[in-house]
Every structure is written in structure tokens, then in C-alpha cells.
Amino acid sequence: MDYEVKKSDAEWRAELSPEKYAVLRGAATERAWTGELLDEGRSGIYTCGACNAELFKSGTKFDSGCGWPSFYESVRPEAVELIEDRSLGVVRTEVRCANCGSHLGHVFDDGFGTPTGDRYCMNSVSLNFTPGE
């Protein structure tokens, strides 16, 4: 995909902390139950930790019990890019920021009780949070 935000690997490394770089640019996963946004309950917007593109509204966040912040839909379908991921020997759907291509997490169809049935399981470190409406 052709992303609006294009930076070299050196530029990303200079801008992001080692932990953010590992997740956002290297598709690593932070440990469950450790992310600072897991229990965030205020109203606001969640944006990409690399480029600040809007990704999720707080009203779509729910407690899935999985150990990572979960949302049932993105702010707009075109805000995220969904890619087949076979990296662990199973088929999953990776979620990337459609603005810069950064790895955010994965989406699963086990968001039972949500309006969409989806669970966007995101790494806290891949997101920024701005309180507000």
C-alpha cells in the first residue's frame, strides 16, 4: 500500500522509543496487562503512536479481558489497513495504520456482545490518547 506518511527506517528509529519502534515498525507485541491505555476510561480519541492519525473513538473501547485495549470498530473503515498474517502458523488479521503502515495489533471476530462482533486488539504502545469529546 502507498502510505501518506513515508519515512526511512533511520527516521522512524530517531523519532520512536525502542519499545514503540519494536511494535509499530517491527510488529512486536507488548506483554499483556502492561499497557498504560488498557484501563483508560476517559472520553477521547486514540491515534497512531507513530503519525497521530485518528484510529479509534473511546466509545468503541470495551473490556474484552484479553490484556490489551480492545475496540469494536475503527473511527472510519479506511483509517486502518487489514492484512492477512500467518507469522505464528495460524491465520490472523493484522491491523496497520492506513496513514503510515505502522503495526497496531490484530482484529478478531470474537467481540461477542459488541455491535460489530469484532475485537480490535491493540498494543497500548502503538496508540496515543487525547482526552476530550
Side-chain angles (χ1 to χ4, degrees):
M1 183 167 178
D2 191 30
Y3 302 107
E4 186 173 319
V5 174
K6 298 175 188 174
K7 296 182 184 185
S8 69
D9 188 60
E11 290 173 306
W12 285 120
R13 283 184 186 276
E15 290 179 20
L16 302 171
S17 71
E19 183 184 24
K20 280 186 172 271
Y21 179 85
V23 173
L24 288 159
R25 305 309 300 173
T29 301
E30 68 187 353
R31 285 184 341 191
W33 309 106
T34 63
E36 68 179 60
L37 296 176
L38 178 61
D39 296 321
E40 179 59 65
R42 295 175 291 173
S43 293
I45 292 286
Y46 293 84
T47 59
C48 176
C51 74
N52 283 317
E54 289 188 357
L55 299 171
F56 301 98
K57 293 181 181 178
S58 59
T60 65
K61 188 173 189 271
F62 69 103
D63 182 3
S64 69
C66 71
W68 292 274
S70 298
F71 304 85
Y72 62 79
E73 68 183 353
S74 61
V75 69
R76 294 176 317 285
E78 64 274 10
V80 295
E81 176 184 22
L82 305 179
I83 299 170
E84 185 177 285
D85 176 5
R86 295 177 177 264
S87 64
L88 296 180
V90 296
V91 179
R92 301 182 297 167
T93 303
E94 179 185 5
V95 181
R96 292 186 188 174
C97 172
N99 194 51
C100 71
S102 290
H103 173 79
L104 304 170
H106 291 84
V107 64
F108 303 94
D109 63 0
D110 61 2
F112 306 114
T114 69
T116 63
D118 291 330
R119 174 176 56 95
Y120 285 81
C121 184
M122 303 292 98
N123 291 285
S124 280
V125 73
S126 70
L127 302 173
N128 294 323
F129 176 72
T130 303
E133 301 236 6

PDB file of all heavy atoms in Angstrom, residues 4-23:
ATOM      1  N   GLU A   4       0.537   7.728   3.060  1.00  0.00           N
ATOM      2  CA  GLU A   4       0.712   9.180   3.004  1.00  0.00           C
ATOM      3  C   GLU A   4       1.985   9.602   3.734  1.00  0.00           C
ATOM      4  O   GLU A   4       2.732  10.453   3.267  1.00  0.00           O
ATOM      5  CB  GLU A   4      -0.505   9.875   3.616  1.00  0.00           C
ATOM      6  CG  GLU A   4      -0.478  11.375   3.463  1.00  0.00           C
ATOM      7  CD  GLU A   4      -1.767  12.029   3.933  1.00  0.00           C
ATOM      8  OE1 GLU A   4      -2.850  11.487   3.652  1.00  0.00           O
ATOM      9  OE2 GLU A   4      -1.659  13.076   4.589  1.00  0.00           O
ATOM     10  N   VAL A   5       2.238   9.004   4.903  1.00  0.00           N
ATOM     11  CA  VAL A   5       3.452   9.296   5.667  1.00  0.00           C
ATOM     12  C   VAL A   5       4.512   8.269   5.283  1.00  0.00           C
ATOM     13  O   VAL A   5       4.313   7.068   5.466  1.00  0.00           O
ATOM     14  CB  VAL A   5       3.171   9.252   7.188  1.00  0.00           C
ATOM     15  CG1 VAL A   5       4.461   9.419   7.974  1.00  0.00           C
ATOM     16  CG2 VAL A   5       2.160  10.316   7.578  1.00  0.00           C
ATOM     17  N   LYS A   6       5.612   8.765   4.742  1.00  0.00           N
ATOM     18  CA  LYS A   6       6.713   7.901   4.311  1.00  0.00           C
ATOM     19  C   LYS A   6       7.989   8.389   4.970  1.00  0.00           C
ATOM     20  O   LYS A   6       8.366   9.552   4.816  1.00  0.00           O
ATOM     21  CB  LYS A   6       6.868   7.948   2.795  1.00  0.00           C
ATOM     22  CG  LYS A   6       5.670   7.453   2.047  1.00  0.00           C
ATOM     23  CD  LYS A   6       5.832   7.647   0.561  1.00  0.00           C
ATOM     24  CE  LYS A   6       4.521   7.328  -0.122  1.00  0.00           C
ATOM     25  NZ  LYS A   6       4.527   7.612  -1.523  1.00  0.00           N
ATOM     26  N   LYS A   7       8.632   7.501   5.717  1.00  0.00           N
ATOM     27  CA  LYS A   7       9.882   7.834   6.386  1.00  0.00           C
ATOM     28  C   LYS A   7      10.831   6.661   6.250  1.00  0.00           C
ATOM     29  O   LYS A   7      10.409   5.505   6.141  1.00  0.00           O
ATOM     30  CB  LYS A   7       9.644   8.137   7.866  1.00  0.00           C
ATOM     31  CG  LYS A   7       8.768   9.359   8.092  1.00  0.00           C
ATOM     32  CD  LYS A   7       8.589   9.659   9.560  1.00  0.00           C
ATOM     33  CE  LYS A   7       7.630  10.839   9.708  1.00  0.00           C
ATOM     34  NZ  LYS A   7       7.497  11.251  11.086  1.00  0.00           N
ATOM     35  N   SER A   8      12.106   6.970   6.290  1.00  0.00           N
ATOM     36  CA  SER A   8      13.112   5.907   6.257  1.00  0.00           C
ATOM     37  C   SER A   8      13.144   5.202   7.609  1.00  0.00           C
ATOM     38  O   SER A   8      12.660   5.720   8.623  1.00  0.00           O
ATOM     39  CB  SER A   8      14.488   6.500   5.951  1.00  0.00           C
ATOM     40  OG  SER A   8      14.936   7.268   7.053  1.00  0.00           O
ATOM     41  N   ASP A   9      13.754   4.035   7.613  1.00  0.00           N
ATOM     42  CA  ASP A   9      13.909   3.300   8.862  1.00  0.00           C
ATOM     43  C   ASP A   9      14.691   4.139   9.874  1.00  0.00           C
ATOM     44  O   ASP A   9      14.353   4.169  11.055  1.00  0.00           O
ATOM     45  CB  ASP A   9      14.610   1.963   8.598  1.00  0.00           C
ATOM     46  CG  ASP A   9      14.614   1.081   9.822  1.00  0.00           C
ATOM     47  OD1 ASP A   9      13.521   0.741  10.325  1.00  0.00           O
ATOM     48  OD2 ASP A   9      15.714   0.742  10.297  1.00  0.00           O
ATOM     49  N   ALA A  10      15.703   4.838   9.424  1.00  0.00           N
ATOM     50  CA  ALA A  10      16.509   5.682  10.318  1.00  0.00           C
ATOM     51  C   ALA A  10      15.654   6.805  10.924  1.00  0.00           C
ATOM     52  O   ALA A  10      15.808   7.134  12.109  1.00  0.00           O
ATOM     53  CB  ALA A  10      17.700   6.266   9.560  1.00  0.00           C
ATOM     54  N   GLU A  11      14.775   7.388  10.125  1.00  0.00           N
ATOM     55  CA  GLU A  11      13.893   8.439  10.646  1.00  0.00           C
ATOM     56  C   GLU A  11      12.945   7.890  11.706  1.00  0.00           C
ATOM     57  O   GLU A  11      12.755   8.508  12.757  1.00  0.00           O
ATOM     58  CB  GLU A  11      13.095   9.086   9.507  1.00  0.00           C
ATOM     59  CG  GLU A  11      13.931   9.941   8.583  1.00  0.00           C
ATOM     60  CD  GLU A  11      13.151  10.419   7.371  1.00  0.00           C
ATOM     61  OE1 GLU A  11      12.563   9.571   6.660  1.00  0.00           O
ATOM     62  OE2 GLU A  11      13.135  11.638   7.142  1.00  0.00           O
ATOM     63  N   TRP A  12      12.340   6.704  11.439  1.00  0.00           N
ATOM     64  CA  TRP A  12      11.452   6.099  12.432  1.00  0.00           C
ATOM     65  C   TRP A  12      12.215   5.805  13.720  1.00  0.00           C
ATOM     66  O   TRP A  12      11.729   6.064  14.825  1.00  0.00           O
ATOM     67  CB  TRP A  12      10.819   4.823  11.900  1.00  0.00           C
ATOM     68  CG  TRP A  12       9.719   5.020  10.902  1.00  0.00           C
ATOM     69  CD1 TRP A  12       9.696   4.555   9.613  1.00  0.00           C
ATOM     70  CD2 TRP A  12       8.481   5.722  11.073  1.00  0.00           C
ATOM     71  NE1 TRP A  12       8.534   4.925   9.000  1.00  0.00           N
ATOM     72  CE2 TRP A  12       7.764   5.637   9.866  1.00  0.00           C
ATOM     73  CE3 TRP A  12       7.914   6.414  12.139  1.00  0.00           C
ATOM     74  CZ2 TRP A  12       6.513   6.215   9.703  1.00  0.00           C
ATOM     75  CZ3 TRP A  12       6.667   6.990  11.978  1.00  0.00           C
ATOM     76  CH2 TRP A  12       5.980   6.886  10.769  1.00  0.00           C
ATOM     77  N   ARG A  13      13.418   5.254  13.604  1.00  0.00           N
ATOM     78  CA  ARG A  13      14.219   4.921  14.792  1.00  0.00           C
ATOM     79  C   ARG A  13      14.548   6.174  15.608  1.00  0.00           C
ATOM     80  O   ARG A  13      14.574   6.132  16.832  1.00  0.00           O
ATOM     81  CB  ARG A  13      15.507   4.212  14.402  1.00  0.00           C
ATOM     82  CG  ARG A  13      15.296   2.763  14.027  1.00  0.00           C
ATOM     83  CD  ARG A  13      16.643   2.085  13.753  1.00  0.00           C
ATOM     84  NE  ARG A  13      16.469   0.742  13.270  1.00  0.00           N
ATOM     85  CZ  ARG A  13      16.288  -0.326  14.038  1.00  0.00           C
ATOM     86  NH1 ARG A  13      16.267  -0.205  15.338  1.00  0.00           N
ATOM     87  NH2 ARG A  13      16.141  -1.512  13.504  1.00  0.00           N
ATOM     88  N   ALA A  14      14.798   7.278  14.917  1.00  0.00           N
ATOM     89  CA  ALA A  14      15.140   8.528  15.606  1.00  0.00           C
ATOM     90  C   ALA A  14      13.928   9.125  16.324  1.00  0.00           C
ATOM     91  O   ALA A  14      14.074   9.766  17.366  1.00  0.00           O
ATOM     92  CB  ALA A  14      15.714   9.530  14.607  1.00  0.00           C
ATOM     93  N   GLU A  15      12.733   8.913  15.781  1.00  0.00           N
ATOM     94  CA  GLU A  15      11.520   9.515  16.329  1.00  0.00           C
ATOM     95  C   GLU A  15      10.841   8.686  17.408  1.00  0.00           C
ATOM     96  O   GLU A  15      10.158   9.239  18.272  1.00  0.00           O
ATOM     97  CB  GLU A  15      10.499   9.760  15.209  1.00  0.00           C
ATOM     98  CG  GLU A  15      10.898  10.852  14.254  1.00  0.00           C
ATOM     99  CD  GLU A  15       9.883  11.060  13.157  1.00  0.00           C
ATOM    100  OE1 GLU A  15       8.713  10.649  13.325  1.00  0.00           O
ATOM    101  OE2 GLU A  15      10.253  11.626  12.126  1.00  0.00           O
ATOM    102  N   LEU A  16      10.980   7.381  17.353  1.00  0.00           N
ATOM    103  CA  LEU A  16      10.250   6.488  18.256  1.00  0.00           C
ATOM    104  C   LEU A  16      11.171   5.907  19.324  1.00  0.00           C
ATOM    105  O   LEU A  16      12.350   5.645  19.056  1.00  0.00           O
ATOM    106  CB  LEU A  16       9.618   5.342  17.460  1.00  0.00           C
ATOM    107  CG  LEU A  16       8.646   5.730  16.342  1.00  0.00           C
ATOM    108  CD1 LEU A  16       8.289   4.504  15.500  1.00  0.00           C
ATOM    109  CD2 LEU A  16       7.401   6.377  16.916  1.00  0.00           C
ATOM    110  N   SER A  17      10.620   5.677  20.506  1.00  0.00           N
ATOM    111  CA  SER A  17      11.379   4.983  21.548  1.00  0.00           C
ATOM    112  C   SER A  17      11.655   3.559  21.061  1.00  0.00           C
ATOM    113  O   SER A  17      10.966   3.057  20.156  1.00  0.00           O
ATOM    114  CB  SER A  17      10.584   4.939  22.847  1.00  0.00           C
ATOM    115  OG  SER A  17       9.479   4.046  22.711  1.00  0.00           O
ATOM    116  N   PRO A  18      12.642   2.876  21.626  1.00  0.00           N
ATOM    117  CA  PRO A  18      12.909   1.490  21.209  1.00  0.00           C
ATOM    118  C   PRO A  18      11.679   0.588  21.325  1.00  0.00           C
ATOM    119  O   PRO A  18      11.433  -0.242  20.449  1.00  0.00           O
ATOM    120  CB  PRO A  18      14.031   1.034  22.148  1.00  0.00           C
ATOM    121  CG  PRO A  18      14.752   2.310  22.483  1.00  0.00           C
ATOM    122  CD  PRO A  18      13.662   3.350  22.573  1.00  0.00           C
ATOM    123  N   GLU A  19      10.897   0.748  22.392  1.00  0.00           N
ATOM    124  CA  GLU A  19       9.693  -0.075  22.567  1.00  0.00           C
ATOM    125  C   GLU A  19       8.655   0.242  21.491  1.00  0.00           C
ATOM    126  O   GLU A  19       8.075  -0.666  20.891  1.00  0.00           O
ATOM    127  CB  GLU A  19       9.100   0.140  23.953  1.00  0.00           C
ATOM    128  CG  GLU A  19       7.885  -0.737  24.218  1.00  0.00           C
ATOM    129  CD  GLU A  19       7.232  -0.464  25.565  1.00  0.00           C
ATOM    130  OE1 GLU A  19       7.383   0.640  26.119  1.00  0.00           O
ATOM    131  OE2 GLU A  19       6.548  -1.377  26.045  1.00  0.00           O
ATOM    132  N   LYS A  20       8.414   1.526  21.251  1.00  0.00           N
ATOM    133  CA  LYS A  20       7.457   1.914  20.207  1.00  0.00           C
ATOM    134  C   LYS A  20       7.929   1.439  18.830  1.00  0.00           C
ATOM    135  O   LYS A  20       7.141   0.949  18.032  1.00  0.00           O
ATOM    136  CB  LYS A  20       7.237   3.428  20.191  1.00  0.00           C
ATOM    137  CG  LYS A  20       6.280   3.918  21.243  1.00  0.00           C
ATOM    138  CD  LYS A  20       6.006   5.410  21.056  1.00  0.00           C
ATOM    139  CE  LYS A  20       4.918   5.888  21.958  1.00  0.00           C
ATOM    140  NZ  LYS A  20       3.591   5.782  21.396  1.00  0.00           N
ATOM    141  N   TYR A  21       9.219   1.582  18.558  1.00  0.00           N
ATOM    142  CA  TYR A  21       9.754   1.151  17.267  1.00  0.00           C
ATOM    143  C   TYR A  21       9.538  -0.354  17.078  1.00  0.00           C
ATOM    144  O   TYR A  21       9.105  -0.795  16.019  1.00  0.00           O
ATOM    145  CB  TYR A  21      11.241   1.497  17.141  1.00  0.00           C
ATOM    146  CG  TYR A  21      11.809   1.046  15.827  1.00  0.00           C
ATOM    147  CD1 TYR A  21      11.699   1.848  14.698  1.00  0.00           C
ATOM    148  CD2 TYR A  21      12.401  -0.199  15.695  1.00  0.00           C
ATOM    149  CE1 TYR A  21      12.182   1.414  13.466  1.00  0.00           C
ATOM    150  CE2 TYR A  21      12.886  -0.642  14.484  1.00  0.00           C
ATOM    151  CZ  TYR A  21      12.777   0.172  13.368  1.00  0.00           C
ATOM    152  OH  TYR A  21      13.231  -0.273  12.161  1.00  0.00           O
ATOM    153  N   ALA A  22       9.830  -1.140  18.116  1.00  0.00           N
ATOM    154  CA  ALA A  22       9.690  -2.599  18.019  1.00  0.00           C
ATOM    155  C   ALA A  22       8.263  -3.001  17.671  1.00  0.00           C
ATOM    156  O   ALA A  22       8.045  -3.909  16.854  1.00  0.00           O
ATOM    157  CB  ALA A  22      10.113  -3.257  19.329  1.00  0.00           C
ATOM    158  N   VAL A  23       7.273  -2.334  18.262  1.00  0.00           N
ATOM    159  CA  VAL A  23       5.876  -2.675  17.999  1.00  0.00           C
ATOM    160  C   VAL A  23       5.389  -2.051  16.695  1.00  0.00           C
ATOM    161  O   VAL A  23       4.894  -2.742  15.805  1.00  0.00           O
ATOM    162  CB  VAL A  23       4.967  -2.249  19.171  1.00  0.00           C
ATOM    163  CG1 VAL A  23       3.498  -2.442  18.824  1.00  0.00           C
ATOM    164  CG2 VAL A  23       5.320  -3.040  20.427  1.00  0.00           C
TER     165      VAL A  23
END
